[in-house]
Amino acid sequence: SSDLSTSELARKYFYDYYPDEKMPIFTNPCHDEMLMNLWNGNRSMCRIFPQFLIVGPQKTGTTALYSMLSQHPDLHPSKKNFITYEELQFFSNNTIYLNGINWYLDQFDSDNIVSEWSMNFEKSATYFDSILAMKRIKALLPNIRLIMILTEPGARAYSRYQHEIARTNQTINFDDLLQLNHNHSSNQFHLKERCLQPGHYAEYLRQWLNYFPSKQIYIIDGDAFRYDPRTILNDIQIRFLQLKNPINSSKLVKFNRKKDFFCPISNKNHFQCLGNSKGRHYEKMSSYSREYLNNYYLLHNQKLIQFLRNNNYSLPLWLIFFNRTQL
Ligand code: A3P
């Protein structure tokens, strides 16, 4: 009503009626003349926006893919930072998102865009299971190409657990973690959720497809990628990104016996293997955990098979194997 002051009115609007609107959503000034006039940037900056994103999920080989593609002279990753390292996490983290569009563009080296066919890109594995990230990416980068990697979700959960144990002082063992329910200490239960939740692949993929057409989404079989990334790297360059100068992947990666993985190769022909936190050595999970995870992901994996078939994606090998054991 007209009795309210502007600030009271704003309070009513954002707190009582439309709390969802408290966070802004950035659309792209390069696609809208009116916004372009209001923006404190200019049209030449439009080329800095990334052309593709590696969106995760975490622990599926996203860093390896990021480093391998970075070896291509036309593909330029975002600059590293001290907090989230090679990840920007712009679309999934509210505080970072509020830094705004110009901040986002600052994370890319504008000098890199030397040729018409150069592409900036970023990888943030936190995007995959964030509905907010999907919405925000769609608003800012509606034509973006997206890459995601799917590994067997039980192994992914265990890898995530190993990652948390290695970098924090938590000591709980994996069998005990899986038995926790929401009555237990919230920290530990939260850890269990973080291990299991991103593996609900079908649910998240369905959401992504609500925002983006399937031709913009490339799905990698994570186990195939881990054992030999070469065919996948060629296919991404040629078919998905349609690079002007694709490089034969045997020049981008080579198998390293010591690391026991394929490693990126620098232009001086040196191995650039990932650090010790990628490709950790840990004992096999117990048969209890394996069975728990098989049951836990049973319906999720069945839904994933349906989903991938309905959308003309091929099934990852681990899912074909899962399907056979169901018969
Ligand atoms: P583990 O350390 O559990 O084996 P992300 O970078 O998304 O966090 O994924 C980490 C996982 O990438 C590692 O999990 C490892 O298995 C996998 N990976 C796949 N290809 C790799 C490679 N070429 N070098 C190192 N790790 C790789």
Side-chain angles (χ1 to χ4, degrees), residues 177-233:
L177 184 80
L178 293 178
Q179 288 179 54
L180 296 179
N181 58 45
H182 49 267
N183 297 326
H184 290 89
S185 118
S186 69
N187 255 353
Q188 292 192 329
F189 184 64
H190 189 58
L191 170 61
K192 175 182 172 184
E193 296 273 279
R194 284 208 306 283
C195 290
L196 296 180
Q197 181 87 17
H200 301 185
Y201 295 148
E203 279 166 37
Y204 291 114
L205 281 174
R206 184 164 306 125
Q207 299 277 3
W208 280 103
L209 264 275
N210 281 339
Y211 290 97
F212 297 93
S214 60
K215 68 173 194 313
Q216 278 174 244
I217 301 181
Y218 192 90
I219 299 178
I220 294 179
D221 175 342
D223 296 329
F225 175 76
R226 180 189 163 131
Y227 291 112
D228 189 346
R230 289 175 296 184
T231 319
I232 294 166
L233 290 170

Side-chain angles (χ1 to χ4, degrees), residues 6 22 36 39 106 118 126 139 156 158 199 209 230 252 298:
T6 314
K22 262 186 277 183
M36 179 56 80
W39 185 35
D106 273 349
S118 290
T126 50
R156 199 214 69 87
Y158 191 47
L209 264 275
R230 289 175 296 184
L252 297 176
L298 185 73

Side-chain angles (χ1 to χ4, degrees), residues 8-267:
E8 283 166 340
L9 201 60
R11 169 157 262 292
K12 234 183 170 14
Y13 183 94
F14 287 115
Y15 285 84
D16 297 347
Y17 296 122
Y18 303 106
D20 289 352
E21 291 184 15
K22 262 186 277 183
M23 281 294 281
I25 182 129
F26 302 122
T27 50
N28 197 314
C30 304
H31 304 160
D32 181 323
E33 272 311 310
M34 206 169 78
L35 282 179
M36 179 56 80
N37 292 332
L38 294 170
W39 185 35
N40 59 344
N42 59 61
R43 192 162 293 284
S44 69
M45 290 158 76
C46 295
R47 299 187 63 197
I48 304 173
F49 281 107
Q51 306 286 311
F52 70 95
L53 306 176
I54 300 168
V55 298
Q58 289 166 320
K59 309 315 293 175
T60 57
T62 57
T63 318
L65 178 64
Y66 158 93
S67 321
M68 291 168 180
L69 290 175
S70 300
Q71 306 309 321
H72 191 295
D74 290 343
L75 301 181
H76 308 295
S78 58
K79 298 177 210 163
K80 293 199 165 74
N81 68 57
F82 289 112
I83 304 164
T84 50
Y85 305 102
E86 79 278 2
E87 299 206 347
L88 293 184
Q89 305 187 354
F90 176 72
F91 296 104
S92 55
N93 178 306
N94 287 345
T95 316
I96 302 178
Y97 187 67
L98 287 175
N99 288 336
I101 302 181
N102 286 28
W103 181 90
Y104 186 61
L105 291 178
D106 273 349
Q107 307 315 304
F108 298 91
D109 208 337
S110 53
D111 301 342
N112 277 332
I113 307 287
V114 283
S115 69
E116 210 181 300
W117 39 87
S118 290
M119 289 184 186
N120 280 342
F121 75 99
E122 62 131 328
K123 93 97 171 160
S124 298
T126 50
Y127 295 163
F128 179 79
D129 55 334
S130 162
I131 311 286
L132 262 177
M134 299 173 198
K135 264 190 208 156
R136 291 168 175 169
I137 295 171
K138 173 74 181 183
L140 189 65
L141 307 166
N143 304 321
I144 193 86
R145 276 164 280 195
L146 304 161
I147 303 181
M148 33 196 91
I149 310 179
L150 303 183
T151 49
E152 191 281 308
R156 199 214 69 87
Y158 191 47
S159 166
R160 179 65 196 257
Y161 160 82
Q162 294 293 346
H163 178 74
E164 295 289 334
I165 292 298
R167 67 184 200 114
T168 62
N169 51 11
Q170 312 208 50
T171 48
I172 186 164
N173 78 46
F174 194 54
D175 289 1
D176 292 341
L177 184 80
L178 293 178
Q179 288 179 54
L180 296 179
N181 58 45
H182 49 267
N183 297 326
H184 290 89
S185 118
S186 69
N187 255 353
Q188 292 192 329
F189 184 64
H190 189 58
L191 170 61
K192 175 182 172 184
E193 296 273 279
R194 284 208 306 283
C195 290
L196 296 180
Q197 181 87 17
H200 301 185
Y201 295 148
E203 279 166 37
Y204 291 114
L205 281 174
R206 184 164 306 125
Q207 299 277 3
W208 280 103
L209 264 275
N210 281 339
Y211 290 97
F212 297 93
S214 60
K215 68 173 194 313
Q216 278 174 244
I217 301 181
Y218 192 90
I219 299 178
I220 294 179
D221 175 342
D223 296 329
F225 175 76
R226 180 189 163 131
Y227 291 112
D228 189 346
R230 289 175 296 184
T231 319
I232 294 166
L233 290 170
N234 284 338
D235 194 48
I236 291 178
Q237 292 183 73
I238 295 166
R239 202 168 54 83
F240 189 58
L241 299 177
Q242 300 181 334
L243 297 190
K244 173 91 172 157
N245 306 307
I247 292 188
N248 191 320
S249 61
S250 8
K251 294 217 170 83
L252 297 176
V253 296
K254 278 201 174 67
F255 188 76
N256 182 298
R257 273 174 211 277
K258 193 155 166 248
K259 179 79 183 171
D260 204 20
F261 274 105
F262 275 84
C263 295
I265 296 290
S266 73
N267 55 7

